[in-house]
Amino acid sequence: MRRIIKWISVLMLVGYVGMGVFLYVNQRAFLYHPTPNLKVPYKSMTIKNQGESIHVIVLNEGHKNAILYFGGNGESMARSADYIAAQFPEFTVYLMDYRGYGSSTGEVTEKALYSDALKLYDTIRSRHDRISVGGRSLGTAIATYVAANREVSKLALITPFDSIENVAQGRYPFYPVSLLLKDKYDSKSRVKDIKAETFIVIAQNDRVIPLERTQKLIEAFNPEQLTIDTIKNRGHNDISSDERYYRIMQEFIGKG
């Protein structure tokens, strides 16, 4: 009996370690889902940063005010372009393809995306009177980083989280995620440096980002700078299909 228990314990340990190694090696494949390079009938610009070429779609060019939008980990900027252009006709909107997404080159990492986002902001800053920033899911961490490090008019966060580390720890409670995770996207730690009026949009039926993770981010903000809204009967991936979604975003961002 002892021998059997010993072998079971060994097998369990091997399985635990093996799964941990698998998660560590493949973690970025789980986090990032690059989108294809699709043609769009809009102007685009290329930003050179750290030896890479970062592709940016430019919508409604020529307006005095702008919006920088950072999408989710599997969101195609090319596929989102038509609808976003129509919803914000009085703003010039910039949609950045993450490294390895669309026609952008390079390997996608947290540090790389932060660097590219600031480079984009600095490149277009002199062209506009004010710049608002929006992000969805993974993009909320990038939007939060920009707002903490640059002057931003308004900040809109759709289905945000406090940190990817905490989201991952909830999914894999038996592993020391803090030691294994390479890209942690700790948005909560940056809230103290954000001065912009902020809007957080929650999907009532979100099964990807637990409400607790969004709530922890909310608690870090000064209540006076924060507005919160919940889209009912929608989940993480179909929140933008609700007719209220763009209306409340338009009301928050204001007129160009």
Side-chain angles (χ1 to χ4, degrees):
M1 178 63 72
R2 290 182 179 177
R3 230 174 135 182
I4 293 175
I5 293 175
K6 179 180 179 181
W7 276 108
I8 291 175
S9 299
V10 170
L11 289 174
M12 289 179 64
L13 179 60
V14 170
Y16 175 83
V17 173
M19 185 60 179
V21 171
F22 176 79
L23 291 173
Y24 179 78
V25 171
N26 294 283
Q27 60 180 278
R28 283 183 171 144
F30 292 136
L31 182 57
Y32 305 113
H33 303 285
T35 55
N37 181 18
L38 303 175
K39 292 183 179 180
V40 293
Y42 300 102
K43 180 179 178 180
S44 64
M45 57 187 287
T46 300
I47 297 174
K48 298 294 184 180
N49 189 37
Q50 299 177 337
E52 304 297 344
S53 297
I54 310 304
H55 179 254
V56 181
I57 299 172
V58 183
L59 309 177
N60 308 326
E61 187 182 18
H63 290 286
K64 64 180 181 179
N65 296 322
I67 297 172
L68 300 187
Y69 174 72
F70 302 102
N73 67 341
E75 184 176 357
S76 168
M77 294 296 94
R79 291 192 174 117
S80 298
D82 284 344
Y83 208 71
I84 293 176
Q87 297 302 318
F88 299 98
E90 298 180 357
F91 290 84
T92 297
V93 184
Y94 297 88
L95 309 177
M96 186 182 82
D97 281 331
Y98 300 150
R99 296 192 189 193
Y101 287 60
S103 60
S104 291
T105 65
E107 179 184 358
V108 59
T109 67
E110 179 181 10
K111 289 183 178 180
L113 295 190
Y114 290 161
S115 178
D116 295 341
L118 292 186
K119 183 72 173 183
L120 171 58
Y121 179 99
D122 293 341
T123 299
I124 61 99
R125 182 66 190 94
S126 62
R127 306 176 190 177
H128 304 284
D129 291 346
R130 60 185 175 91
I131 297 175
S132 295
V133 179
R136 180 172 175 174
S137 193
L138 179 69
T140 62
I142 303 166
T144 300
Y145 185 86
V146 173
N149 289 278
R150 295 292 187 272
E151 181 182 355
V152 167
S153 176
K154 292 186 177 182
L155 173 64
L157 305 174
I158 301 98
T159 60
F161 48 81
D162 55 347
S163 74
I164 284 291
E165 179 182 338
N166 287 336
V167 173
Q169 189 65 71
R171 292 187 183 182
Y172 306 103
F174 300 110
Y175 287 95
V177 170
S178 63
L179 300 178
L180 299 175
L181 201 61
K182 297 176 183 177
D183 298 337
K184 300 185 178 182
Y185 290 103
D186 186 1
S187 295
K188 182 180 176 181
S189 69
R190 300 189 175 92
V191 169
K192 66 183 184 302
D193 298 316
I194 296 174
K195 309 303 180 187
E197 182 182 352
T198 302
F199 185 34
I200 289 180
V201 183
I202 301 168
Q204 183 185 42
N205 299 332
D206 199 326
R207 298 292 181 265
V208 177
I209 303 299
L211 180 59
E212 179 186 5
R213 302 276 55 92
T214 302
Q215 188 59 42
K216 290 298 183 181
L217 180 67
I218 289 172
E219 292 171 1
F221 276 93
N222 179 346
E224 295 181 358
Q225 78 180 107
L226 188 63
T227 301
I228 305 166
D229 205 334
T230 299
I231 302 294
K232 296 182 179 180
N233 303 315
R234 288 293 184 272
H236 189 81
N237 295 320
D238 66 351
I239 185 174
S240 58
S241 66
D242 191 284
E243 61 181 13
R244 288 189 64 242
Y245 176 78
Y246 278 106
R247 186 170 74 249
I248 61 177
M249 294 295 291
Q250 292 163 349
E251 291 172 355
F252 172 71
I253 296 295
K255 294 184 178 181

